[in-house]
């Protein structure tokens, strides 16, 4: 692929894509990935809207990437042609945060993560909305089956987060009860992961506009799928299982109320996983509930490598995941893809969105 140019959609400012071409230069230490599909997440929507913290434009968004290795430098563990997913977060392994095993490597600012690295950082192709993605020598790759369509393969990313948040971080034990607040792609992925790990009962709560996602949650095995705007979630759980959940996950989109719901509904001594940001807003918070209920709260950021290893296996054996990518767009319609993921084109039958090449 000597001297290849990559078509890319560059986000020059919030809500403003510009089609461009950048050289996928040979001679770098890493490698190049020929992108097959890129999922659009809630974090991408925040970048597109200009609501994400510390983002430097222009950049190429997209971090849920599936593709084939087009050029492999000495650090790439797979031969050319191998289909892989790339973990969004790059870990240099040497900075203080990497040494503490945190998700956020300090080597690049504002974030050493695909889809968030500014285009001024060479070689510029750091996002999935481009034909080629630069594989940093420190990027972590996971081989993916050829048996699923590329757009379905993008669901490895939410699935990995689901495993990290619902199983790994709360140390989910077999038979425990889990409540998931938010039926978006990562909420549904958390449901799949919790059930696969032997959770006893899993409930999913959403809003009225999430009706189709809640229906899908039932088909994916949720024991309760509830519209929190129309029904009392606590009452419904009491009726269903007669006690409070052991673990509550907040996977909502920018909903400060969800944290209070989580703290209120979880059992005493239970665990709350907070995987949703609240737009940097301040809100009134009474901490006594943490003391009185002896709660453990963990902040969750992204998926771990263990989560990716699980998800890459799971997607090969779970045909239900085919239903989870509901919308596809070509690269030239990146703006529409972002609008769709933001729910601006309607939420009927909206599960998750991918751009395909
Ligand atoms: Zn680092």
């Amino acid at each position: 692929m000597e001297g290849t140019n990559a078509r890319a959609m560059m986000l020059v400012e919030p809500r403003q894509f510009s089609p461009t071409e950048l050289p996928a230069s040979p001679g770098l230490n890493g490698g190049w990935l020929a992108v097959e599909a890129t999922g659009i997440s809630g974090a991408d929507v925040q970048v597109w809207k200009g609501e994400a913290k510390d983002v430097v434009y222009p950049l190429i968004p997209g971090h849920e990437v599936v593709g084939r290795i087009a050029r492999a430098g000495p650090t790439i563990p797979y031969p050319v042609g191998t289909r892989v997913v790339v973990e969004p977060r790059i870990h240099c392994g040497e900075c203080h945060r990497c040494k503490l095993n945190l998700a956020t490597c300090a080597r690049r600012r504002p974030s050493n993560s695909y889809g968030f690295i500014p285009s001024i950082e060479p070689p510029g192709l750091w996002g999935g909305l481009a034909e080629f993605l630069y594989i940093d020598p420190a990027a972590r790759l996971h081989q993916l089956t050829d048996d699923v369509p590329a757009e379905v393969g993008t669901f490895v990313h939410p699935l990995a987060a689901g495993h990290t948040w619902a199983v790994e971080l709360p140390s989910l034990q077999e038979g425990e009860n889990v409540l998931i607040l938010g039926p978006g792609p990562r909420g549904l992925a958390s449901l799949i992961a919790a059930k696969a790990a032997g959770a006893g009962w899993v409930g999913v709560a959403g809003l009225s506009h999430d009706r189709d996602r809640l229906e899908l949650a039932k088909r994916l095995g949720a024991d309760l799928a509830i519209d929190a705007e129309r029904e009392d979630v606590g009452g419904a759980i009491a009726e269903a299982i007669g006690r409070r959940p052991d673990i509550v996950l907040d996977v909502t989109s920018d909903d400060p109320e969800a944290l209070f719901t989580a703290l209120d509904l979880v059992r005493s001594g239970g665990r709350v996983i907070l995987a949703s940001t609240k737009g940097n807003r301040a809100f009134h918070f009474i901490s006594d509930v943490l003391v009185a209920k002896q709660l453990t709260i963990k902040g969750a950021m992204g998926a771990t490598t263990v989560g990716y290893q699980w998800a890459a296996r799971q997607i090969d054996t779970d045909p239900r995941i085919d239903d989870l990518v509901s919308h596809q767009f070509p690269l030239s319609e990146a703006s529409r893809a972002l609008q769709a993921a933001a729910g601006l084109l309607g939420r009927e039958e909206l599960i998750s969105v991918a751009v395909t090449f």
Side-chain angles (χ1 to χ4, degrees):
M1 54 167 290
E2 299 296 307
T4 307
N5 269 0
R7 285 187 305 128
M9 290 302 268
M10 193 176 275
L11 193 63
V12 291
E13 57 181 86
R15 296 178 194 255
Q16 193 60 55
F17 273 113
S18 175
T20 186
E21 284 198 8
L22 290 174
S25 325
L28 298 163
N29 276 336
W32 287 99
L33 187 81
V35 178
E36 289 185 282
T38 297
I40 306 296
S41 77
D44 296 317
V45 169
Q46 286 182 331
V47 169
W48 175 70
K49 285 182 171 174
E51 292 172 356
K53 196 167 169 259
D54 298 333
V55 168
V56 177
Y57 302 91
L59 56 74
I60 299 170
H63 58 97
E64 296 186 346
V65 182
V66 171
R68 288 183 191 276
I69 293 175
R71 185 181 170 278
T75 61
I76 307 297
Y78 299 109
V80 167
T82 310
R83 187 189 233 191
V84 294
V85 294
V86 184
E87 286 189 32
R89 295 189 177 278
I90 303 168
H91 302 271
C92 74
E94 287 163 11
C95 74
H96 62 289
R97 290 189 187 171
C98 283
K99 283 182 174 157
L100 289 169
N101 205 23
L102 297 174
T104 47
C105 172
R107 171 126 175 236
R108 289 192 186 91
R109 296 285 180 189
S111 166
N112 197 6
S113 183
Y114 285 106
F116 300 88
I117 298 172
S119 297
I120 50 164
E121 172 87 20
L125 288 160
W126 294 104
L129 295 185
E131 287 176 309
F132 289 98
L133 181 83
Y134 178 59
I135 307 173
D136 187 275
R140 294 178 184 168
L141 310 177
H142 299 272
Q143 190 167 1
L144 182 66
T145 175
D146 286 331
D147 295 340
V148 298
E151 68 276 10
V152 173
T154 63
F155 209 79
V156 163
H157 295 275
L159 209 51
H163 186 271
T164 303
W165 301 347
V167 179
E168 232 182 294
L169 289 180
S171 303
L172 173 69
Q173 304 295 305
E174 213 172 306
E176 284 194 308
N177 301 326
V178 182
L179 173 65
I180 297 164
L181 302 175
R186 280 169 169 71
L188 296 170
S190 298
L191 161 66
I192 293 170
K195 279 287 180 181
W201 175 94
V202 182
V204 179
L207 303 176
S208 296
H209 69 216
D210 295 320
R211 193 178 59 227
D212 288 341
R213 286 174 165 176
L214 290 170
E215 279 301 317
L216 180 56
K218 281 188 213 160
R219 296 203 297 280
L220 291 170
D223 298 285
L224 179 74
I226 188 168
D227 175 349
E229 288 180 297
R230 300 179 62 159
E231 289 179 75
D232 169 30
V233 178
I237 295 171
E239 198 173 305
I241 54 173
R243 54 199 171 100
R244 293 170 177 275
D246 303 291
I247 296 162
V248 180
L249 256 62
D250 176 2
V251 204
T252 55
S253 168
D254 197 12
D255 178 1
E257 283 299 312
L259 176 59
F260 299 118
T261 304
L263 298 176
D264 180 36
L265 294 182
V266 72
R267 73 161 164 85
S268 288
R271 293 91 88 199
V272 171
I273 304 299
L274 180 56
S276 138
T277 55
K278 310 298 181 192
N280 287 311
R281 277 172 293 167
F283 43 83
H284 187 61
F285 179 72
I286 298 170
S287 63
D288 288 358
V289 64
L290 308 184
V291 179
K293 291 178 79 172
Q294 297 174 256
L295 299 181
T296 302
I297 302 187
K298 280 191 182 174
M301 190 166 229
T304 61
T305 294
V306 170
Y308 271 93
Q309 288 164 343
W310 177 82
R313 286 194 305 272
Q314 183 72 14
I315 208 152
D316 196 18
T317 58
D318 191 340
R320 302 173 305 166
I321 294 167
D322 292 6
D323 293 341
L324 287 159
V325 181
S326 56
H327 290 54
Q328 282 182 61
F329 296 89
L331 180 64
S332 58
E333 293 181 26
S335 288
R336 279 180 64 75
L338 268 298
Q339 289 167 19
L344 300 175
L345 304 182
R347 288 188 176 265
E348 210 152 292
E349 294 178 12
L350 172 66
I351 307 297
S352 69
V353 177
V355 169
T356 49
F357 290 76

